[in-house]
Coordinates of all heavy atoms in Angstrom, one line a residue:
Chain B
N22 N -16.1 11.5 21.6 CA -16.9 12.6 21.1 C -16.0 13.8 20.7 O -14.9 14.0 21.1 CB -17.8 13.1 22.3 CG -18.8 12.0 22.6 OD1 -19.6 11.6 21.8 ND2 -18.8 11.6 23.9
C23 N -16.6 14.7 19.9 CA -15.9 15.8 19.4 C -17.0 16.9 19.1 O -18.0 16.7 18.6 CB -15.2 15.5 18.1 SG -14.5 16.9 17.2
A24 N -16.6 18.2 19.5 CA -17.5 19.3 19.2 C -16.8 20.2 18.3 O -15.6 20.4 18.4 CB -17.8 20.1 20.5
Y25 N -17.5 20.7 17.3 CA -16.9 21.6 16.3 C -17.7 22.9 16.3 O -18.9 22.9 16.7 CB -16.7 21.0 14.9 CG -18.0 20.8 14.2 CD1 -18.6 21.7 13.4 CD2 -18.7 19.6 14.4 CE1 -19.8 21.5 12.7 CE2 -19.9 19.3 13.8 CZ -20.4 20.3 12.9 OH -21.6 20.0 12.3
S26 N -17.1 24.0 16.0 CA -17.7 25.3 16.1 C -17.9 26.0 14.7 O -18.6 27.0 14.6 CB -17.0 26.2 17.1 OG -15.7 26.4 16.7
N27 N -17.2 25.5 13.7 CA -17.2 26.2 12.4 C -18.4 25.6 11.6 O -18.2 24.5 11.0 CB -15.9 26.0 11.7 CG -15.8 26.9 10.4 OD1 -16.8 27.4 10.0 ND2 -14.6 27.0 9.9
S28 N -19.4 26.2 11.5 CA -20.6 25.7 10.8 C -20.3 25.6 9.3 O -21.1 25.0 8.5 CB -21.8 26.6 11.0 OG -21.5 27.9 10.7
A29 N -19.3 26.3 8.8 CA -19.0 26.2 7.4 C -18.2 24.9 7.0 O -18.1 24.6 5.8 CB -18.1 27.4 7.0
S30 N -17.8 24.2 8.0 CA -17.1 22.9 7.7 C -18.1 21.9 7.1 O -19.2 21.8 7.6 CB -16.5 22.3 9.0 OG -15.5 23.2 9.5
D31 N -17.6 21.2 6.1 CA -18.5 20.3 5.4 C -17.9 18.9 5.2 O -18.5 18.1 4.5 CB -18.9 20.9 4.0 CG -17.7 21.2 3.1 OD1 -16.6 21.0 3.6 OD2 -18.0 21.6 2.0
Y32 N -16.9 18.7 5.9 CA -16.2 17.3 5.8 C -15.5 17.1 7.1 O -14.7 18.0 7.5 CB -15.3 17.3 4.6 CG -14.7 16.0 4.2 CD1 -15.4 15.1 3.4 CD2 -13.4 15.7 4.6 CE1 -14.8 13.9 3.0 CE2 -12.9 14.5 4.3 CZ -13.6 13.6 3.5 OH -13.0 12.4 3.1
F33 N -15.6 15.9 7.6 CA -15.0 15.6 8.9 C -14.3 14.2 8.8 O -14.8 13.3 8.1 CB -16.1 15.5 10.0 CG -16.9 16.8 10.1 CD1 -18.0 16.9 9.3 CD2 -16.5 17.8 10.9 CE1 -18.7 18.1 9.4 CE2 -17.2 19.0 11.0 CZ -18.3 19.1 10.2
I34 N -13.2 14.1 9.5 CA -12.4 12.9 9.5 C -12.0 12.6 10.9 O -11.6 13.4 11.7 CB -11.1 13.1 8.6 CG1 -11.4 13.6 7.2 CG2 -10.3 11.8 8.6 CD1 -10.1 14.0 6.4
W35 N -12.0 11.3 11.1 CA -11.4 10.8 12.4 C -10.0 10.1 12.1 O -9.9 9.3 11.1 CB -12.3 9.7 13.0 CG -13.4 10.3 13.8 CD1 -14.7 10.5 13.5 CD2 -13.3 10.9 15.2 NE1 -15.5 11.0 14.4 CE2 -14.6 11.3 15.5 CE3 -12.3 11.0 16.1 CZ2 -14.9 11.9 16.7 CZ3 -12.6 11.6 17.3 CH2 -13.9 12.0 17.6
Y36 N -9.0 10.5 12.9 CA -7.7 10.0 12.8 C -7.3 9.3 14.1 O -7.7 9.7 15.1 CB -6.7 11.0 12.5 CG -6.6 11.6 11.1 CD1 -7.3 12.7 10.7 CD2 -5.9 10.9 10.1 CE1 -7.3 13.2 9.4 CE2 -5.8 11.4 8.8 CZ -6.5 12.6 8.5 OH -6.5 13.1 7.2
K37 N -6.5 8.2 13.9 CA -6.0 7.5 15.1 C -4.5 7.8 15.1 O -3.8 7.7 14.0 CB -6.2 6.0 14.9 CG -5.5 5.1 15.9 CD -5.8 3.7 15.5 CE -5.1 2.7 16.5 NZ -5.3 1.3 16.1
Q38 N -3.9 8.1 16.2 CA -2.5 8.3 16.3 C -1.9 7.5 17.4 O -2.1 7.7 18.6 CB -2.1 9.8 16.5 CG -0.7 10.1 16.5 CD -0.3 11.6 16.6 OE1 -1.1 12.3 17.3 NE2 0.8 12.0 16.1
E39 N -1.1 6.5 17.0 CA -0.3 5.7 17.9 C 1.0 6.4 18.3 O 1.5 7.3 17.6 CB -0.1 4.3 17.4 CG -1.3 3.6 17.1 CD -1.1 2.3 16.4 OE1 -0.7 2.3 15.2 OE2 -1.3 1.2 17.0
S40 N 1.5 6.1 19.4 CA 2.7 6.7 19.9 C 3.8 6.7 18.9 O 4.2 5.7 18.4 CB 3.2 6.1 21.2 OG 4.3 6.7 21.8
G41 N 4.4 7.9 18.6 CA 5.5 8.1 17.7 C 5.2 7.9 16.3 O 6.1 7.9 15.4
K42 N 3.9 7.9 15.9 CA 3.5 7.7 14.5 C 2.6 8.9 14.1 O 2.2 9.7 14.9 CB 2.7 6.4 14.4 CG 3.6 5.2 14.7 CD 2.8 3.9 14.4 CE 3.6 2.7 14.7 NZ 2.8 1.4 14.4
G43 N 2.5 9.0 12.8 CA 1.6 10.0 12.2 C 0.1 9.6 12.3 O -0.2 8.5 12.5
P44 N -0.7 10.6 12.2 CA -2.2 10.3 12.2 C -2.6 9.3 11.1 O -2.1 9.5 9.9 CB -2.8 11.7 12.0 CG -1.8 12.7 12.4 CD -0.5 12.1 12.1
Q45 N -3.4 8.4 11.4 CA -3.8 7.4 10.5 C -5.3 7.5 10.3 O -6.1 7.6 11.2 CB -3.5 6.0 11.1 CG -4.0 4.8 10.2 CD -3.8 3.5 10.9 OE1 -3.3 3.5 12.1 NE2 -4.1 2.4 10.3

Side-chain angles (χ1 to χ4, degrees):
Chain B
N22 296 303
C23 173
Y25 67 94
S26 59
N27 189 349
S28 57
S30 293
D31 56 358
Y32 187 85
F33 304 88
I34 305 173
W35 278 101
Y36 284 94
K37 172 186 180 183
Q38 186 178 26
E39 296 174 291
S40 180
K42 297 184 179 179
Q45 177 187 0

